[in-house]
Each structure stands twice: as C-alpha cells, then as structure tokens.
Amino acid sequence: MADSPNLPDSSAPPGRDDEGGGRVRWRRFAVLTVPAVAVTAGLGIALAQGALAASFAVSGQQFKVSATSLEGEGFAQYGSVDVNAREELIPVAVTAIKEAKLHSLCQSVVTTLPVVGDISLNLTAGKKAPVEASNLFVDATQLAGDAVFSNIEIGRDASTLDKGPAEAVGMQDLFAQQADTVSITGLQQTAWATNAGTFKLSGLSMNISKGKKECF
C-alpha cells in the first residue's frame, strides 16, 4: 500500500512540531526563559556571597543622618544592593566601619499620611559624649562632608577588602576602597538602612512633630 502523503509522523512526541498551529514553540520558549533563570541564579549567588547589603527588607523611605564629626577605624566602601518588601533591588553604596564615634548625631525621616500630611520623626544623640558603634554598616545613596583618610586604597577589588568589618566585602571585580582610619566633619548622608553590632547612643532624644523637619 502506498504511504499516505499528509499523515503526521506517529513516532514524533506531541508538541515537538514547531510549525504546528497552536503548539508551544519549545526552542523559542527556552530562549525567553534563560535570562530570567540567569537573573534569579545571580541573585541567589549574591545572597550566598553576602553581596546584598542589608540583611532585612528595607522600607520604602530613605532617612537622613548628620553629625558634626565622625572618627572611624577600619573603613571600607563598596557598591551593593538592598531589597525591599516587593523584592525590588535598590543600588546603594555601603560604608562599613569597624569602630566609629559620632558627635552630635541627628537622624530624621518624614512620612506623608493621608489627611494629616507630613509627619517628622527626629532622633538626636551624642551632644556631650559621642555615639559609639562597632561593625557599623550604612547603605547610602548620598554622602557629603570634609573627609581625611589614612593609608587609603582606591580601586581595590570589592571581594578582597580586609580593613573594615569581617563581613564588609562585595562582589568580585567591583570597585571598592578602604582605609585604616577615616575622619569626616560636617557629615551629611541619605540612606536606606543602617545596622551595627553595637550602637551606643548617649543622651538619646526622639520626638515626632507635624510638618517637615529634617537634619539637613
């Protein structure tokens, strides 16, 4: 009997015919999913390496911090990312210091509420005795002041940092800098997160007020 000219090949598994109408084009599907898998894998590697900055989901609000002066021992700075509750990545510059002292510390955050309007939360400390912090990490987007560093290394690979806290390392091939000591006068910074091993705030005062009242 002659072969039927238009019968499908019964040996081929279903769904493999890329030209069949309505069937999934598997090769094209694979090409589209590879980038998403790669991003997820890269994020997993970053988490495993500690390359993500804050160890918690950051809020949707940045806050401001100022101090008349900061003295620190064991300074490191490198690029990283924070993650918010929506799992969105936020680029930050991580400043890490083994031991830090801050004079006249001010921290402020402004929240806008329906009907009420702006509400400001202000925290001050260290007017007489300095604020003391160990293993201090600040995930900032802006930093200003007059700075002096000792034995600074600029352009070091972020994965090889060894002057700051033990956890202060970034991803391989990324730019970083470190120094034995740092001194900053007129410090002003805007940040997403701060965490520290210990944080001693002498003369702590906190108040909430209506309107916009910021450290700078």
Side-chain angles (χ1 to χ4, degrees):
M1 180 181 293
D3 292 337
S4 299
N6 295 319
L7 289 177
D9 182 1
S10 60
S11 64
R16 291 294 300 274
D17 182 4
D18 283 352
E19 301 303 322
R23 292 180 177 174
V24 176
R25 300 178 186 270
W26 293 108
R27 292 178 183 175
R28 189 172 303 172
F29 174 78
V31 169
L32 292 174
T33 56
V34 163
V37 173
V39 169
T40 303
L43 183 56
I45 292 171
L47 284 165
Q49 293 180 341
L52 294 184
S55 58
F56 50 85
V58 300
S59 74
Q61 295 177 277
Q62 295 191 75
F63 56 92
K64 292 185 175 182
V65 177
S66 68
T68 56
S69 65
L70 176 152
E71 293 88 35
E73 295 182 2
F75 167 86
Q77 191 173 62
Y78 54 96
S80 188
V81 291
D82 282 341
V83 182
N84 62 21
R86 296 184 178 86
E87 298 186 353
E88 297 169 333
L89 303 182
I90 303 168
V92 295
V94 178
T95 298
I97 303 174
K98 277 186 179 180
E99 300 291 338
K101 292 183 178 181
L102 300 98
H103 298 265
S104 296
L105 174 70
C106 173
Q107 178 178 302
S108 65
V109 61
V110 178
T111 301
T112 302
L113 300 175
V115 182
V116 179
D118 291 336
I119 299 293
S120 296
L121 184 151
N122 290 80
L123 178 152
T124 59
K127 290 186 177 180
K128 295 182 178 180
V131 170
E132 299 179 7
S134 64
N135 294 330
L136 175 67
F137 288 78
V138 180
D139 304 345
T141 56
Q142 176 268 335
L143 172 66
D146 297 319
V148 177
F149 301 91
S150 65
N151 296 323
I152 190 169
E153 300 172 354
I154 301 174
R156 183 168 177 137
D157 188 297
S159 67
T160 68
L161 294 170
D162 57 8
K163 290 189 176 184
E167 299 82 3
V169 292
M171 295 187 70
Q172 185 175 341
D173 297 328
L174 292 189
F175 173 91
Q177 56 187 359
Q178 64 177 6
D180 289 344
T181 65
V182 57
S183 175
I184 303 176
T185 56
L187 172 68
Q188 295 182 345
Q189 63 183 0
T190 305
W192 285 103
T194 297
N195 61 308
T198 60
F199 206 38
K200 181 181 178 182
L201 296 98
S202 61
L204 173 65
S205 175
M206 186 187 75
N207 67 79
I208 297 177
S209 58
K210 291 188 66 175
K212 184 175 290 187
K213 182 180 178 183
E214 298 180 286
C215 297
F216 61 91

